[in-house]
C-alpha cells in the first residue's frame, strides 16, 4: 500500500517523509513540492521524484558480483541491476535573467557552479561508469563539476567522435589511464527543447504580452509547441529515442550511468521512465542541480529519489552493491 512508503529526498538538505495519515509528502522546501495521488505518486511543482508503491519500498536486494576493490575499475557486471542518475544542469546565466534559453548555449552562474558541486557531493559514493551530457555547455559544466567531488577521483573525459580525426587525435595509449577515467558522451539529442521564437525573450514579459495561460501552455503542455519551436512531444522523439537506443543498453550491460541534461529533455525521459500521462507531465518540474537516482533492475526503472548527502544511508541501502562500494571507499580513507 502506498501508506507504507517512506522516501527520502530531494531538493535540499532536508528529508521528506510519506505520511500515511494525510496521504501526501508533507514537507515543502523552497520550490519543491510533492503531491501524492493514489498509489502512483504524481508530481507536484518542482518534482523531486515520483514516489512508488509499497511493493517498491527501499530494499536490499540480492547481491551480484561486487567490485573486488573500489580502487580498481568498476567493472560492469553480468547483472540485471544498475544505477541511473539524472541531473538537470545548475542555474545558467539565462535562468538567472529569466530568459527562454532552449538551445542557446549559455554557461552556469556562480550559483549554478555551486549547485553542481553540491550535487556532486550527494552522489560522491555512487560508482559511475559512463556519463552522457547534452552538447550544451551548462550540462557539461554540471557533469564535470559534479564529478570533481567524487570520492573515487576518476577523471571524466569527453569522447570526441565528431570526426574520424577528432576521434584519432584524442586517443589514450595507456590502459591504466583509461581505467582511471570515465567516458563522457555528448549528444545533441539530450539538448534542451528548442524554444523557437521565444529564445532570448524574458519569460515574465512574454507572459505579460501573450497571457499567463498561453505561456504556460507553451512551457509545460505535452503537444503544443512554442512558435517555431519544439513541443515536449517533439523533444521526446529525439531525447527518449536516444535514451532507449544508447543509454539503456549500457544499463542492461550493468554499467552505472549519469545523464546531465535539461529541464525539458529530462522531463521527457522521466515521463517515459515513470509512465506519466500527457496530463501528469504538465505539472512535472525539475529543480536545477538535483540528482535523481533510479535503479534499473530486471528491465524496470525504480525511482529512488536523491541522495540527501554523502553520508545518507538509505540510498546506499537500496542495493547491496552500492552499500558495499561505499564501504570500500570508507575503508580506503580510514
Ligand atoms: O528556458 C528554457 O530553456 C527552459 C529551461 O530553463 O525554460 P522552461 O522552464 O520555461 O521550460
Amino acid at each position: 500500500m502506498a501508506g507504507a512508503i517512506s522516501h527520502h529526498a530531494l531538493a535540499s538538505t532536508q528529508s521528506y517523509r510519506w505520511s500515511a495519515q494525510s496521504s501526501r509528502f508533507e514537507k515543502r522546501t523552497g520550490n519543491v513540492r510533492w503531491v501524492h495521488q493514489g498509489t502512483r505518486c504524481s508530481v507536484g511543482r518542482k518534482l523531486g521524484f515520483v514516489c512508488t508503491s509499497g511493493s517498491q519500498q527501499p530494499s536490499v536486494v540480492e547481491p551480484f558480483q561486487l567490485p573486488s576493490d573500489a580502487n580498481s575499475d568498476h567493472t560492469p557486471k553480468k547483472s540485471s541491476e544498475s544505477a541511473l542518475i539524472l541531473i538537470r544542469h545548475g542555474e545558467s546565466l539565462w535562468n538567472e535573467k529569466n530568459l527562454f534559453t532552449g538551445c542557446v548555449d549559455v554557461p552556469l552562474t556562480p550559483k549554478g557552479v555551486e549547485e553542481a558541486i553540491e550535487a556532486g557531493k550527494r552522489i560522491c559514493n555512487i560508482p559511475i561508469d559512463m556519463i552522457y551530457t547534452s552538447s550544451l555547455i551548462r550540462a557539461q559544466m554540471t557533469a564535470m563539476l559534479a564529478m570533481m567531488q567524487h570520492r573515487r577521483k576518476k577523471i571524466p573525459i569527453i569522447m570526441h567522435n565528431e570526426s574520424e580525426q577528432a576521434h584519432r587525435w584524442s586517443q589514450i595509449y595507456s590502459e591504466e589511464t583509461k581505467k582511471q577515467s570515465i567516458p563522457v558522451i555528448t549528444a545533441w539529442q539530450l539538448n534542451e527543447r528548442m524554444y523557437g521564437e521565444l529564445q532570448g525573450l524574458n519569460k515574465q514579459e512574454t507572459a505579460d504580452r501573450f497571457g499567463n495561460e498561453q505561456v504556460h501552455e507553451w512551457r509545460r503542455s505535452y503537444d503544443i509547441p512554442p512558435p517555431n519551436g519544439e513541443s515536449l512531444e517533439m523533444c521526446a522523439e529525439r531525447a527518449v529515442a536516444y535514451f532507449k537506443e544508447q543509454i539503456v543498453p549500457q544499463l542492461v550491460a550493468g554499467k552505472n550511468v549519469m545523464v546531465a541534461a535539461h529541464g525539458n529533455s529530462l522531463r521527457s525521459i522521466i515521463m517515459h521512465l515513470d509512465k506519466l500521462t500527457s496530463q501528469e507531465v504538465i505539472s512535472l518540474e525539475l529543480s536545477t542541480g538535483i540528482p535523481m537516482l533510479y535503479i534499473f533492475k530486471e528491465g524496470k526503472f525504480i525511482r529512488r529519489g536523491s541522495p540527501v548527502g554523502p553520508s545518507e544511508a538509505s540510498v546506499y541501502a537500496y542495493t547491496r552493491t552500492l552499500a558495499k562500494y561505499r564501504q570500500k571507499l570508507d575503508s580506503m580513507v580510514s
Side-chain angles (χ1 to χ4, degrees):
M1 291 296 294
I5 299 164
S6 172
H7 273 309
H8 292 268
L10 273 213
S12 75
T13 50
Q14 293 184 45
S15 64
Y16 288 67
R17 280 198 176 273
W18 171 255
S19 161
Q21 269 176 344
S22 64
S23 283
R24 57 176 58 225
F25 286 99
E26 289 186 328
K27 261 195 180 178
R28 186 196 291 217
T29 303
N31 52 12
V32 177
R33 179 158 65 89
W34 301 20
V35 179
H36 179 268
Q37 296 156 351
T39 49
R40 187 153 60 104
C41 211
S42 154
V43 271
R45 302 186 62 74
K46 294 285 180 193
L47 173 108
F49 65 75
V50 179
C51 77
T52 55
S53 73
S55 60
Q56 292 171 322
Q57 283 182 68
S59 62
V60 175
V61 299
E62 282 310 301
F64 50 91
Q65 194 188 332
L66 299 166
S68 53
D69 177 356
N71 210 10
S72 70
D73 192 28
H74 177 247
T75 318
K77 305 149 290 285
K78 279 213 178 66
S79 159
S80 57
E81 184 172 303
S82 44
L84 169 69
I85 295 166
L86 303 179
I87 179 168
R88 182 183 172 201
H89 62 81
E91 182 195 68
S92 77
L93 280 163
W94 278 17
N95 290 145
E96 187 188 39
K97 288 178 178 292
N98 203 25
L99 305 183
F100 284 100
T101 314
C103 287
V104 182
D105 204 356
V106 295
L108 300 182
T109 59
K111 182 181 164 205
V113 168
E114 280 307 313
E115 286 174 337
I117 291 171
E118 199 48 47
K121 288 181 189 160
R122 293 181 184 205
I123 56 172
C124 70
N125 290 313
I126 299 178
I128 293 172
D129 301 305
M130 292 195 73
I131 297 169
Y132 288 84
T133 76
S134 74
S135 65
L136 301 173
I137 195 72
R138 57 193 187 272
Q140 296 178 13
M141 284 176 81
T142 300
M144 293 296 187
L145 289 164
M147 286 316 294
M148 294 303 100
Q149 303 304 311
H150 202 277
R151 291 175 70 191
R152 184 58 191 76
K153 298 293 174 215
K154 281 192 176 184
I155 315 287
I157 295 182
I158 295 184
M159 299 292 109
H160 281 284
N161 293 329
E162 57 268 30
S163 73
E164 201 276 318
Q165 188 183 44
H167 176 73
R168 193 158 25 89
W169 283 15
S170 57
Q171 285 301 299
I172 300 167
Y173 294 95
S174 157
E175 284 310 311
E176 190 46 40
T177 307
K178 270 191 210 164
K179 274 191 195 160
Q180 294 306 317
S181 63
I182 303 177
V184 181
I185 316 284
T186 62
W188 67 268
Q189 291 91 332
L190 298 173
N191 281 7
E192 181 54 290
R193 56 115 57 95
M194 211 283 275
Y195 249 119
E197 289 167 30
L198 301 187
Q199 288 185 176
L201 300 187
N202 181 282
K203 290 176 185 175
Q204 189 52 56
E205 287 168 13
T206 309
D208 293 345
R209 181 165 163 212
F210 294 98
N212 282 334
E213 211 173 304
Q214 171 66 80
V215 170
H216 186 257
E217 210 165 56
W218 284 334
R219 293 179 67 186
R220 290 296 168 264
S221 67
Y222 178 63
D223 51 8
I224 300 170
N228 287 319
E230 282 184 309
S231 64
L232 188 66
E233 185 179 24
M234 291 152 82
C235 177
E237 272 167 29
R238 50 153 169 111
V240 175
Y242 185 85
F243 180 81
K244 286 184 188 164
E245 283 159 24
Q246 303 295 325
I247 300 177
V248 171
Q250 304 295 346
L251 296 165
V252 169
K255 290 191 184 173
N256 297 324
V257 176
M258 177 165 91
V259 180
H262 303 264
N264 293 294
S265 54
L266 288 175
R267 281 175 76 226
S268 71
I269 290 171
I270 290 172
M271 181 183 182
H272 164 69
L273 297 180
D274 290 347
K275 300 185 174 59
L276 301 183
T277 65
S278 52
Q279 267 310 105
E280 285 172 320
V281 80
I282 291 173
S283 50
L284 173 59
E285 298 269 357
L286 302 183
S287 299
T288 49
I290 305 299
M292 289 164 282
L293 174 68
Y294 284 80
I295 300 297
F296 177 72
K297 188 169 180 247
E298 289 159 12
K300 291 203 178 97
F301 287 94
I302 306 162
R303 189 184 261 271
R304 288 309 192 198
S306 175
V308 173
S311 55
E312 184 212 10
S314 61
V315 163
Y316 301 101
Y318 289 152
T319 81
R320 200 162 285 181
T321 305
L322 293 184
K324 290 267 179 184
Y325 187 87
R326 184 180 156 203
Q327 266 172 24
K328 281 273 180 198
L329 289 171
D330 288 343
S331 66
M332 280 160 58
V333 170
S334 57

